[in-house]
Amino acid sequence: MEFIFIFLPVFMIAYAAVRKEYKNFVLFTGSVVFYSFGVKKPVYILLFLLTVLLNFIVGQFIEHSRHTKKLWLTFGILFNFWWLIFFKYWTFGTENINHFFHQSFTVKDIILPIGISFYTFQNVSYIIDVFRGKAKAEKNLINYGAYITMFPQLIAGPIVTYDHVAKELKSRTHTIQRVEDGLKTFTIGLGYKVLIANQIGGLWSDIAMIGYESVSSRLAWLGIFAYSFQLYFDFCGYSLMAIGLGRVMGFDIPRNFDHPYMSLTMTEFWRRWHITLGSWFRDYIYIPLGGNRKGSGRMVFNTFIVWLFTGLWHGASWNFVLWGMVLFLIIMSEKFWTGKTLNKIKPLGHAYMLLIIPLTWLIFAITDFHELGIYFKRLLPFLPQKTYAIMEGDYIQYWKDYWKYFAAALVFSTRLPEALYKKIKNSFITDIALLAVFWASVYCMYKGLDDPFMYFRF
């Protein structure tokens, strides 16, 4: 509410009032103010600004050094990933050293700076692209600061590479049409988050409160489908809000989702889900390792590394490592055995994904392996399990409460609403509908029916 009715209007008025040469300064300073509201410790703001300054300087040295380019690149990569490793993985690593090697090192509860995974990847991609000659080093610190700190996508993506916005940082077009399109996209994303993700996510929260051991098999399946839709509309909603605000300010932030739940294979799914993260791992990990150019054995190894890092990027917990490894095995099985059949027989592919998507998200959702085991047994009641009191017909009551959110999630995960929107987006009916979505979202937030974005934790 504060963002929509205080920060955003004040920022937009200031942004619109200044001349073109000062807009990046307003964006930079406004984004730092925005970031300061989200961090737990003021020192994290200084660290954030330090990473901006240091990567800007490293980019200059890489471009103008003849014999020390690799040295500067190595320093920049180590600097960026050191902070990510320290804040995100230090506690996890210490706990595992204590457990496996019977040590007693002190474990500190380190608070993760918000957005560090995203801005670390953008800084690293910048210095690597300058090293490769793909991008020219930015000569203006304010421009570079505006690129890294750009508040619409700062704390949860999409991950924007420098070359994607380099021209727009220097000169971009501002029109009433772009502002209108951007605000409409922002409103759609807001509706996805507040009216679908938050509401259907209530079922997953209800099941957690009941206890996984006390739900029926049918309610367990409803719950994991609810979580799958919640995660999609939460993150897709955030991405659309970022894209919309970027468009208002003259930036074309890349698309992050392409209806992934319509995929026929997990391979296709991960080309459509969190597209900018997948592109980052492809361009800066998979291809530098050799991609698929050095034989199938090396391709399998490179893919394994990518999915190991993908799992760890999402969180410092063994369930994320397991999740990444399960996805690696599924994708490899599709490449060598099942992929062609699933793509050829579409009903089979959709049925396969209907089962595999929620099962993989379950590993993603539950960090405790004991609780994860209980939930899997609830999904598959023929497995041996302990006897607990289960309310008969529990799924019926919850279906009555949540069916309308499932219906909305199912419809809006297809291409039909987007296709319809493209045809009528400039009509009066669309304007009225989006106004209704906006004020319905505001009402839900006012009533306390809003939750933090799920990807803030990453």
Side-chain angles (χ1 to χ4, degrees):
M1 295 287 281
E2 292 86 352
F3 171 77
I4 291 175
F5 291 108
I6 299 176
F7 174 84
L8 198 55
V10 171
F11 171 82
M12 287 302 179
I13 290 171
Y15 186 80
V18 300
R19 293 161 55 182
K20 287 185 177 181
E21 55 265 36
Y22 300 117
K23 289 189 184 297
N24 284 347
F25 176 77
V26 172
L27 175 57
F28 182 27
T29 54
S31 297
V32 173
V33 171
F34 170 83
Y35 186 77
S36 68
F37 283 106
V39 297
K40 300 295 184 182
K41 296 182 178 181
V43 70
Y44 288 179
I45 302 172
L46 297 178
L47 173 63
F48 180 45
L49 294 175
L50 175 63
T51 63
V52 172
L53 176 61
L54 189 135
N55 282 281
F56 172 77
I57 294 172
V58 168
Q60 305 298 316
F61 278 117
I62 289 174
E63 184 167 85
H64 295 101
S65 300
R66 290 186 177 182
H67 306 295
T68 57
K69 286 187 175 184
K70 286 187 178 181
L71 184 63
W72 281 109
L73 175 65
T74 302
F75 169 73
I77 292 174
L78 290 176
F79 173 84
N80 286 292
F81 280 114
W82 156 249
W83 292 111
L84 183 62
I85 291 169
F86 174 74
F87 284 110
K88 197 166 185 175
Y89 305 105
W90 192 268
T91 299
F92 176 66
T94 305
E95 288 175 345
N96 281 280
I97 289 172
N98 288 344
H99 176 75
F100 289 111
F101 297 99
H102 307 291
Q103 299 297 314
S104 56
F105 295 116
T106 302
V107 178
K108 294 184 178 180
D109 188 14
I110 300 173
I111 299 174
L112 184 69
I114 192 168
I116 189 170
S117 297
F118 291 91
Y119 70 70
T120 296
F121 272 29
Q122 291 197 179
N123 277 311
V124 170
S125 70
Y126 166 73
I127 60 175
I128 290 176
D129 284 351
V130 172
F131 176 81
R132 292 173 173 174
K134 183 179 179 181
K136 292 287 186 181
E138 177 56 62
K139 303 300 188 294
N140 187 307
L141 177 60
I142 298 300
N143 288 356
Y144 185 73
Y147 158 62
I148 292 296
T149 67
M150 193 183 303
F151 73 86
Q153 50 78 227
L154 170 61
I155 48 182
I159 298 171
V160 182
T161 55
Y162 176 76
D163 66 296
H164 190 90
V165 294
K167 291 182 179 179
E168 293 168 350
L169 284 167
K170 295 174 175 59
S171 177
R172 51 190 180 271
T173 304
H174 302 87
T175 65
I176 295 298
Q177 185 62 51
R178 287 179 67 89
V179 171
E180 182 181 347
D181 288 346
L183 291 176
K184 286 179 177 179
T185 301
F186 174 86
T187 302
I188 292 171
L190 181 66
Y192 274 11
K193 164 60 178 168
V194 179
L195 302 182
I196 299 181
N198 288 354
Q199 310 312 317
I200 203 169
L203 177 54
W204 182 248
S205 299
D206 290 342
I207 289 175
M209 291 181 65
I210 295 170
Y212 303 148
E213 70 279 356
S214 299
V215 299
S216 67
S217 177
R218 293 179 182 180
L219 182 56
W221 278 104
L222 275 182
I224 196 58
F225 276 116
Y227 180 83
S228 300
F229 281 129
Q230 180 192 12
L231 188 64
Y232 171 63
F233 285 101
D234 185 285
F235 194 22
C236 182
Y238 184 98
S239 296
L240 287 173
M241 293 169 72
I243 291 168
L245 291 179
R247 190 162 182 79
V248 169
M249 294 184 291
F251 293 95
D252 289 317
I253 294 176
R255 186 174 189 176
N256 215 20
F257 291 88
D258 183 18
H259 309 286
Y261 286 169
M262 299 301 294
S263 303
L264 298 175
T265 63
M266 191 57 71
T267 305
E268 181 185 1
F269 177 90
W270 280 99
R271 287 197 296 262
R272 296 176 172 214
W273 177 283
H274 205 343
I275 296 169
T276 56
L277 179 67
S279 298
W280 197 98
F281 276 113
R282 180 197 65 209
D283 294 340
Y284 302 104
I285 301 292
Y286 182 73
I287 292 177
L289 286 174
N292 57 3
R293 303 188 304 274
K294 299 182 179 181
S296 59
R298 185 60 182 268
M299 178 274 296
V300 171
F301 174 77
N302 294 342
T303 306
F304 169 83
I305 294 297
V306 165
W307 282 105
L308 175 62
F309 286 169
T310 301
L312 285 171
W313 181 88
H314 281 87
S317 176
W318 284 111
N319 74 297
F320 290 113
V321 176
L322 175 62
W323 173 73
M325 293 301 92
V326 167
L327 290 173
F328 161 72
L329 292 174
I330 292 171
I331 289 171
M332 287 298 95
S333 69
E334 291 174 355
K335 184 171 185 62
F336 291 109
W337 296 292
T338 61
K340 289 184 179 180
T341 302
L342 293 169
N343 280 304
K344 186 176 181 179
I345 308 174
K346 291 186 177 181
L348 179 63
H350 286 303
Y352 160 79
M353 292 300 288
L354 186 67
L355 176 68
I356 210 74
I357 287 174
L359 289 178
T360 54
W361 282 140
L362 182 62
I363 304 171
F364 185 89
I366 302 177
T367 59
D368 184 274
F369 281 127
H370 176 68
E371 295 293 313
L372 181 60
I374 291 174
Y375 206 104
F376 262 114
K377 288 181 179 180
R378 281 300 178 217
L379 293 175
L380 307 172
F382 53 82
L383 295 176
Q385 50 193 298
K386 294 181 181 179
T387 302
Y388 296 93
I390 298 174
M391 185 175 68
E392 185 177 355
D394 56 357
Y395 66 94
I396 296 175
Q397 182 57 51
Y398 283 99
W399 177 250
K400 288 179 180 178
D401 293 339
Y402 287 97
W403 71 267
K404 52 186 175 293
Y405 304 119
F406 276 101
L410 184 62
V411 170
F412 282 94
S413 62
T414 70
R415 294 186 181 277
L416 294 177
E418 182 180 356
L420 178 62
Y421 174 73
K422 287 181 178 179
K423 292 182 178 181
I424 64 171
K425 75 174 185 177
N426 295 319
S427 68
F428 179 71
I429 293 175
T430 301
D431 295 340
I432 296 299
L434 290 178
L435 278 173
V437 168
F438 177 80
W439 287 111
S441 300
V442 168
Y443 175 76
C444 287
M445 290 187 287
Y446 172 74
K447 297 296 287 185
L449 301 176
D450 60 322
D451 300 307
F453 284 95
M454 299 173 76
Y455 261 67
F456 283 0
R457 61 185 286 206
F458 306 126

